[in-house]
Amino acid sequence: RMRRDAFSRALMRETTLTCNDLIMVAFVIDGEDRREAVASMPGVERLSIDHLITLADECVALGIPALALFPSVDARFKARALKARHPQLGLIGDVALDPYTTHGQDGIIDGDGYVLNDITIEALVRMALAQAAAGFDIVAPSDMMDGRIGAIREALEQAGHINTRILSYSLRVEPAQHFV
């Protein structure tokens, strides 16, 4: 599955850093002709689909092989529009619950604030399957639930998405004083 598409092979070549090694990140919102500042990331904006397609055009022109989407809305429609315009552009979907929770956790919590691992994995699997069905080439879980990669891989295989790749990542943000 890793050698199936040109964008995936290009991402995994070793030793040189070129546009082939880059992944553009886009934060996405509903509507048309909308740009919305992301307060926690100065200079970064959420884009409506029309601006997202323009960004995808720029990525393809520059030779950037993949675009990672962080939607505030249903990603299925964006993936289909981007794939229709640029089938060679690898699409990476964020598999995470934190954009949809009021508590900011990347998992489902109980009444005491405890993250429920197994129930969260079920939700992450459903999200990954929906993204694969919508045309994402890579699903990217960013949580830290135990066993989620195996569960997602198994579900993708059973659903016939054998070539959908998984890019697991997570980020620990330190307080600003650690960077001074």
Side-chain angles (χ1 to χ4, degrees), residues 172-180:
R172 181 174 169 219
V173 178
E174 295 290 331
Q177 69 266 21
H178 289 247
F179 297 107
V180 177

Side-chain angles (χ1 to χ4, degrees), residues 1 16-17 33 35 59-61 90 92 95 97 112 126 147 161:
R1 70 180 59 101
T16 58
L17 180 61
D33 196 26
R35 294 178 165 292
C59 288
V60 169
I92 303 169
V95 178
L97 301 180
D112 296 323
R126 288 192 304 273
H161 301 293

